[in-house]
Amino acid sequence: MEQLIKQIEDYKQEINNYVAANADDAETFRIKYLGTKGLVKSVMGEMKNVPADQKKEFGQLLNDFKLFTEAKYEELKETTDNGKANTENTIDISLPADTLPLGSRHPISLVRNRIVSIFQRLGFAVAEGPEIEDDWHNFTALNLPENHPARDMQDTFYINQNPDWLLRTHTSSVQVREMEKGKLPIRIICPGRVYRNETISARAHCFFHQVEGLYIAENVSFADLKQTLYFFVQEMFGESVKVRFRPSYFPFTEPSAEMDISCLICGGKGCNVCKHTGWVEILGCGMVHPNLLENCGIDSNKYTGFAFGMGVERITMLKYQIKDLRLFSENDLRFLKQFTSAV
Ligand code: DAH
């Protein structure tokens, strides 16, 4: 047994002095000492010759030897790997750094922010509300009672847990919430995401974004509405753009109108985009219906107001001549990258 102990000491010495210049040398070490026919295996084989009363002691010794050899191998591997890294990928700290790809805002966010900032300059404050609404705020308070035919145009998604809950179809629900607070005058814009149960196509999606506006005070007139929206259009699309108002119907406004702008593509001459009319519709608006004011506890003899609502996707499509609404939610970088420095 003395001889075996001596032998192990010699091996340890030999292993300790082993130098590996590269990964191949480290591999040679592994095969020689730790391989299936390697030295450690054969030394372990000596166990069978050790007398029973010394097995424990020798077991320990042999195990230590094995661990010692494995540790040496790890060390060789690490140093030769690092060596490789150092010679092959030498870092030149004088080189300019890799440029980090810079993210950009989504075109919908850019245009929404632009709309918001135009109205903020006119003194409108931003108001927000929940996307999961109740029937009252989304429909009934807005003069759209149950079974009103105009509800058909705004079919949405309902929440099983409570038949009264739905995904809001417009941000007009935020107008109701602000009116209910009863703090007058009110001058707000409500940007946000809205939902409709629509088949997805180039022109419709089951969700989109709106900015609605509401101004309630004493003596607010249709002239105020027109001038406000005219200012907005000029800031958004340029001073040469013309506007026109067409009579329309919304349950929450009376009278109601839709506003068109002269076609940006053909300048009003007529093209595919404006369906050869020279005009494109961009928003709905009107004077707040007295029923709405009363529903929210506001004296309709004392106060009047105007409201409007526009789709952010629609404005964005017009501004950048985008023809398919689905591009906004596909997250295709080739599309999104084009807006890095837009607006
Ligand atoms: N809420 C309407 C819609 O989503 C848009 C709208 C029209 C909002 C007229 C208004 C308004 O506030 O006065 O179709």
Side-chain angles (χ1 to χ4, degrees), residues 161-199:
Q161 271 161 313
N162 186 336
D164 195 43
W165 291 346
L166 47 90
L167 296 188
R168 68 180 180 192
T169 60
H170 46 193
T171 54
S172 311
S173 52
V174 184
Q175 300 182 6
V176 176
R177 288 181 176 275
E178 287 298 311
M179 286 194 280
E180 282 175 340
K181 289 182 188 162
K183 270 177 70 187
L184 290 150
I186 296 172
R187 192 157 48 196
I188 51 161
I189 39 166
C190 318
R193 181 179 281 219
V194 301
Y195 303 81
R196 304 242 173 127
N197 184 8
E198 303 254 7
T199 310

Side-chain angles (χ1 to χ4, degrees), residues 8 34 65 70 90 132 134 142 151 173 197-198 298 307:
I8 289 176
L34 294 164
F65 176 58
E70 283 171 351
T90 309
I132 302 177
D134 51 40
L142 287 159
R151 279 198 185 199
S173 52
N197 184 8
E198 303 254 7
I298 297 173

